[in-house]
Amino acid sequence: MSAKPIVRMAEIEIDPAQLEAYRALLSEEIEAAVALEDGVLSLSAVAIKDSPHKIRILEVYADRDAYEAHLLTPHFLKYKNGTVGMVTSLTLVDVEPIAMAAEA
């Protein structure tokens, strides 16, 4: 039996005055996670049109162990600690994938 992937949606609101700095830290974290962690299958961040301070991140991990390992990596901890005063709201939503595809 194969491990079940973990898919989450992060709904984040950022202090608009700190949006540029937040986006830089987020981009750095996503690039590092995908490059360095085999268990991180996909991380995609988008902003709500006309509300750029409202960020949504779709996270796909190979399994629960990969997700938990991700939370302990230096690049995630740098992001988490560096953005603590920037994030005004954070909701993590576990989601069930219906259809997911990506071009290789």
Side-chain angles (χ1 to χ4, degrees):
M1 182 195 275
S2 63
K4 183 177 180 184
I6 300 296
V7 183
R8 302 187 90 187
M9 176 71 66
E11 300 174 344
I12 306 169
E13 291 190 26
I14 305 303
D15 172 7
Q18 300 185 70
L19 187 56
E20 294 272 337
Y22 174 82
R23 289 175 75 147
L25 285 166
L26 177 61
S27 294
E28 180 182 327
E29 196 282 326
I30 286 176
E31 289 173 15
V34 171
L36 300 173
E37 298 178 65
D38 290 337
V40 176
L41 303 182
S42 174
L43 293 173
S44 299
V46 298
I48 303 297
K49 198 170 202 166
D50 299 326
S51 296
H53 68 288
K54 294 181 179 181
I55 308 293
R56 301 297 183 260
I57 305 171
L58 181 63
E59 310 172 32
V60 183
Y61 303 93
D63 55 28
R64 175 70 52 193
D65 289 344
Y67 172 70
E68 291 176 4
H70 170 72
L71 298 179
L72 301 175
T73 61
H75 47 270
F76 178 79
L77 294 173
K78 177 183 177 183
Y79 160 79
K80 193 69 173 169
N81 293 325
T83 62
V84 82
M86 301 174 182
V87 176
T88 60
S89 174
L90 169 63
T91 303
L92 299 174
V93 181
D94 290 318
V95 297
E96 288 291 330
I98 296 171
M100 298 176 68
E103 194 169 320

